[in-house]
Amino acid sequence: MRSIDWNDESNSIVLIDQTKLPKDRVMLECRGVDALAEAIRSLRVRGAPALGVAGGLGVALAAQISKARGPRDLIQDMEGAAQILRNTRPTAINLSWGIDRVLSKAKVGRSVARIRELALGEAKKMADEDVQKCKQIGEHGASLLEDGDVVLTHCNAGRMGCVDWGTALGIVRSAIEEGKRIKVIACETRPLNQGSRITTWELLQDDIPVTLITDSTIGHVMNSGMVDKVIVGADRIVEDAVFNKIGTYTLSIVAKKHGIPFYVAAPLASFDFDRRASDIEIEERSPSELKYFGDEQIAPLEVKVYNPAFDATPMENISAIITEHGILYPPFSFEEIKQRYQGR
Ligand code: MRU
């Protein structure tokens, strides 16, 4: 089951509307760039690797529906679409990475038909590669898990955050495929509850044992010896920090205090070799996410709200980073990683 894909028949992007989970599994068809941009902003499609593919497919979609008659006008339309999509969410680098990859491939084309073909081919390839990379992350990461381990995870770095299989949850899936008995503890991940709504749902679909906790229970479960390893995904990895869902930093501190390994699972597309943590914009979301729970008002409407979607975990709190190419251990020498892997 893919969270996002291209539909050849309707010439559109199809995605699982993740805001409807776990109650309903609703497929959404995006036939235009504005519809896709809305889906990204409202987290109907979400998670860094899935956003990368959404960006790539979005540029390909723009090429298919453009009325341009010549290559130059077509590229201009695609660049316009790229700008709209790029502005939807700032923190996950994968979004721009996916957009740029399809744009630069398409620009090689010399005719409208060829540009359309190149763009769509590249975007579809990205979706297939994402599944492959998650499987590779899964295989590498599974070597870090032992039979009987309990893995705590935050947000959703599973099938729904990627095209399929998942990064953090991909490691759990691969370890289980190897015959290891693994249990998961999922943090609910306030305020949008990606953990309770999506992670528990997708794990239960696969019969993987999962226990849901509130975010404020993390200290208690770690102090009680209930957690063997923490595995999270990433929205952007820079030289001095890993950006991921708000609460990840706190998790890393509690894990370090209790001597519990803290692993980050992400494809190389999540690495930003050119910036440091202080350069990165952390998305701030609407105050209404904290003032309402569904339709229910849960805070005074006049209260001041601070609602960042991500935080930065310093490298010294991270035990290893698992990529599709293998496991990176501290000290994470960015110069070396860059030389070995950039552009792969
Ligand atoms: O706001 P979201 O739901 O897009 O945030 C997603 C996360 O923080 C994930 O942990 C991250 O993107 C990795 S998904 C494999």
Side-chain angles (χ1 to χ4, degrees), residues 80-99:
Q83 203 46 36
I84 293 171
L85 295 170
R86 224 186 278 282
N87 288 339
T88 50
R89 298 193 75 192
T91 308
I93 189 176
N94 311 60
L95 180 57
S96 288
W97 168 85
I99 289 169

Side-chain angles (χ1 to χ4, degrees), residues 18 40 43 45-51 89 92 94 134 153-162 166-169 189 192 194 197-198 232-236 243-246 248 265-267 270 283 285 309-310:
Q18 297 186 37
I40 295 174
L43 273 63
V45 56
R46 45 144 299 282
L51 289 179
R89 298 193 75 192
N94 311 60
C134 281
T153 191
H154 191 55
C155 196
N156 172 264
R159 289 189 200 282
M160 292 298 118
C162 307
T167 50
L169 299 187
T189 320
L192 294 180
Q194 290 91 330
R197 291 187 305 104
I198 307 172
V232 294
D235 285 84
R236 191 184 293 244
F243 286 79
N244 192 50
K245 180 52 58 193
I246 190 77
T248 303
S270 303
E283 176 185 1
R285 296 198 54 89
F310 302 97

Side-chain angles (χ1 to χ4, degrees), residues 185-198:
I185 293 179
C187 298
E188 65 175 342
T189 320
R190 284 283 294 144
L192 294 180
N193 291 69
Q194 290 91 330
S196 57
R197 291 187 305 104
I198 307 172

Side-chain angles (χ1 to χ4, degrees), residues 1-4 49-50 53 126-127 130-131 159 161-165:
M1 173 195 21
R2 289 190 170 198
S3 70
I4 182 164
V53 173
M126 279 172 57
D130 191 76
V131 184
R159 289 189 200 282
C162 307
V163 174
D164 202 350
W165 201 247

